[in-house]
Amino acid sequence: MKSSLNIPEYVRDALAGVAQRLGFTLNQHSVDYDFRAFENNRSVVSVLYRVTFREEPREVTVLCKVPPLEADDTLLALFEREVFVYGKLLPALEQFQRTRQAAETANTSSTSEEDLSLPFAPSCYHAHCDAKKGEGIIVLEDVQRRGFSNRHKFEPMDYDHARLAMVQLGRFHATTLALKKHQPELFEQYRYMGNVTGERVLAMEGFEQAMEQAFEAASATLNQADVGRREKLARLRGCFAEELQNISDTELSEPFCVVCHGDYAGDNMMFSYNGGFPNRMVMLDWQLAKYGSPALDFVHAVFLSTDEAFRRNHYDNMLQTYHNALLNHLERLGDDSATEWFPLTVLMRLIKLQARQALVLGLLHIPLTVASEEAALAAEDETDEGREDSSSVRISDTSDAKYQSRMAGLLKDVFRFGFL
């Protein structure tokens, strides 16, 4: 589908370079833009569409991400962070894994059956951002062409998807830890990946009022007679800003800090399947990537992308799965002492330090998730004209049964694990 929309010259130039990199002949291939596939995408950070290069007998489709029109400084900072991840961090991690694998193979005189350089994200063909000019573009592999797909993003993750997510997270964190140890000079640039939105969010007009309403709604899910828990939640309500700032305090979690994905949720993952079971996974949307405690990503996935029933049955298993994957990958990358310096007890301590952030974030995440699902279902029945006016997501009615169940379960587990 050719679009009548004006495509900026810098985007056309970037795509021309990608086409040549993919083997298409300059001025002898066509470029088609398709905005339909992601017309219901509700991201405020980027605009996503498909681009297809055609030159007989070949065609290749890629995904193009650009900042939205009139993006402010905060959105451009988020886009710039994702460009840095795709353009600098992920290639460095893949190259480091290949180098370590080659060294291990040479030392053992054997061929490893496991490929240590399996990618953590879709291949990136081009990544550029000039915040001063308001320009940004990321051109990615369309992994759907390789059989990857999204699970139902509004539903809590099931065991098979969550287990693979923990394995992939352990591998990713292990690779950044190993790079920090073996190539500290290279890693230094990633140590300064701070929280892009932290101060901006706290200063946003209306944010404090939104948090007050969120705490009020969450408190209403507690039993009226449970005075102790209501008081603990009230104390957190009085210092939630400090709790959010503590997330960025890396000194609390050193020397175990890693590069975190930052938004490690089920809707930022795509899976491929073998026999109906997920066997490969890639991570999407790296705008919130930062240097911090490995517990941040673990807590985010387990407490915000699963439900109470899942955590009751599988929390210990998820903890062991993540920790084992991290240690095993550290050992494959050449660290024979990983078990001694990063035992499970250390991970549990890190989680306890960071777990309250799951509750603070969950106060907003859960109602937004419920509201997004309601809006998506409503959009299926709307006309195209109706969709034009439905791009803003309202916070869900907190009397909704789904909200009540998810929030009550989150509070119950935060108290049950002693995190609050």
Side-chain angles (χ1 to χ4, degrees):
M1 169 182 167
K2 291 186 180 292
S3 172
S4 60
L5 293 179
N6 181 37
I7 306 298
E9 193 64 28
Y10 79 90
V11 172
R12 294 184 184 276
D13 291 343
L15 291 171
V18 170
Q20 286 188 278
R21 178 178 173 183
L22 293 173
F24 290 92
T25 307
L26 184 65
N27 298 325
Q28 295 186 27
H29 66 277
S30 65
V31 183
D32 294 338
Y33 301 85
D34 187 352
F35 296 88
R36 296 171 299 178
F38 303 101
E39 62 184 0
N40 291 325
N41 174 46
R42 296 177 182 275
S43 172
V44 297
V45 177
S46 59
V47 176
L48 183 66
Y49 53 91
R50 283 194 171 94
V51 177
T52 301
F53 306 113
R54 291 188 176 90
E55 181 181 359
E56 291 296 337
R58 295 177 63 221
E59 73 172 48
V60 175
T61 299
V62 297
L63 300 183
C64 186
K65 298 183 76 168
V66 296
L69 293 175
E70 309 301 329
D72 61 18
D73 290 343
T74 299
L75 293 185
L76 287 171
L78 289 166
F79 198 91
E80 189 173 38
R81 174 57 53 85
E82 187 165 33
V83 164
F84 180 77
V85 170
Y86 275 114
K88 299 291 186 180
L89 173 67
L90 293 174
L93 295 183
E94 291 183 23
Q95 178 59 42
F96 173 70
Q97 290 187 107
R98 285 193 294 269
T99 301
R100 298 302 299 178
Q101 183 172 31
E104 289 300 303
T105 300
N107 290 336
T108 60
S109 301
S110 64
T111 302
S112 173
E113 294 183 359
E114 183 170 6
D115 184 1
L116 298 187
S117 61
L118 290 173
F120 297 112
S123 297
C124 180
Y125 303 118
H126 182 83
H128 163 77
C129 184
D130 187 331
K132 292 182 179 179
K133 294 182 178 180
E135 295 180 357
I137 180 172
I138 302 171
V139 183
L140 299 170
E141 168 196 15
D142 184 357
V143 292
Q144 286 189 353
R145 304 295 170 118
R146 288 201 286 123
F148 283 81
S149 62
N150 294 103
R151 47 173 295 281
H152 193 309
K153 67 179 183 178
F154 298 119
E155 293 296 326
M157 283 197 291
D158 59 25
Y159 176 82
D160 292 319
H161 288 90
R163 185 183 183 283
L164 182 54
M166 290 297 103
V167 171
Q168 185 78 328
L169 183 64
R171 289 181 61 251
F172 174 66
H173 285 170
T175 306
T176 70
L177 276 172
L179 182 64
K180 183 166 74 169
K181 177 178 180 179
H182 294 286
Q183 296 185 21
E185 299 84 3
L186 174 61
F187 186 83
E188 196 65 15
Q189 61 186 308
Y190 311 123
R191 191 186 296 274
Y192 297 102
M193 292 173 62
N195 188 342
V196 176
T197 60
E199 295 299 326
R200 292 182 175 95
V201 168
L202 289 172
M204 281 175 57
E205 183 179 355
F207 179 72
E208 186 172 347
Q209 291 79 2
M211 288 301 300
E212 287 291 320
Q213 294 172 6
F215 270 100
E216 191 69 33
S219 182
T221 68
L222 293 172
N223 191 310
Q224 290 290 332
D226 198 344
V227 177
R229 290 185 175 184
R230 294 174 71 86
E231 288 178 349
K232 288 181 179 180
L233 190 60
R235 285 197 293 271
L236 179 61
R237 179 177 181 171
C239 63
F240 75 87
E242 289 83 353
E243 284 296 330
L244 289 176
Q245 290 174 329
N246 285 341
I247 296 172
S248 301
D249 188 352
T250 57
E251 290 302 317
L252 296 174
S253 301
E254 289 290 19
F256 308 102
C257 284
V258 299
V259 176
C260 302
H261 179 277
D263 190 13
Y264 199 59
D267 54 347
N268 288 332
M269 307 170 188
M270 290 185 73
F271 298 87
S272 66
Y273 297 84
N274 182 12
F277 293 94
N279 66 332
R280 293 283 180 88
M281 194 202 100
V282 291
M283 308 178 196
L284 310 174
D285 295 340
W286 296 81
Q287 301 96 341
L288 297 177
K290 59 180 176 288
Y291 181 71
S293 170
L296 291 172
D297 284 337
F298 176 85
V299 163
H300 196 112
V302 172
F303 285 91
L304 301 186
S305 292
T306 69
D307 58 16
E308 180 192 357
F310 179 94
R311 293 187 292 270
R312 183 171 58 249
N313 293 322
H314 304 299
Y315 178 83
D316 289 343
N317 184 282
M318 292 299 104
L319 186 66
Q320 289 281 359
T321 297
Y322 164 76
H323 186 246
N324 289 341
L326 185 145
L327 292 185
N328 290 340
H329 204 61
L330 278 172
E331 291 174 357
R332 287 193 292 267
L333 292 170
D335 191 338
D336 296 331
S337 62
T339 303
E340 286 73 35
W341 69 267
F342 202 158
L344 184 61
T345 51
V346 165
L347 176 59
M348 294 171 69
R349 176 177 64 81
L350 295 176
I351 290 172
K352 190 160 187 177
L353 277 173
Q354 302 290 343
R356 280 186 291 188
Q357 65 98 7
L359 175 55
V360 175
L361 296 177
L363 294 174
L364 295 174
H365 177 90
I366 290 175
L368 281 171
T369 299
V370 174
S372 297
E373 181 176 13
E374 293 168 348
L377 291 172
E380 293 178 359
D381 299 325
E382 291 177 352
T383 63
D384 289 340
E385 291 78 8
R387 286 197 188 99
E388 292 296 324
D389 298 324
S390 65
S391 59
S392 61
V393 177
R394 295 189 298 266
I395 296 292
S396 172
D397 180 359
T398 52
S399 65
D400 180 89
K402 186 168 288 189
Y403 167 83
Q404 293 279 326
S405 175
R406 291 287 298 274
M407 182 56 70
L410 175 61
L411 288 173
K412 182 177 179 180
D413 285 341
V414 167
F415 287 118
R416 178 166 65 92
F417 288 113
F419 297 149
L420 185 62

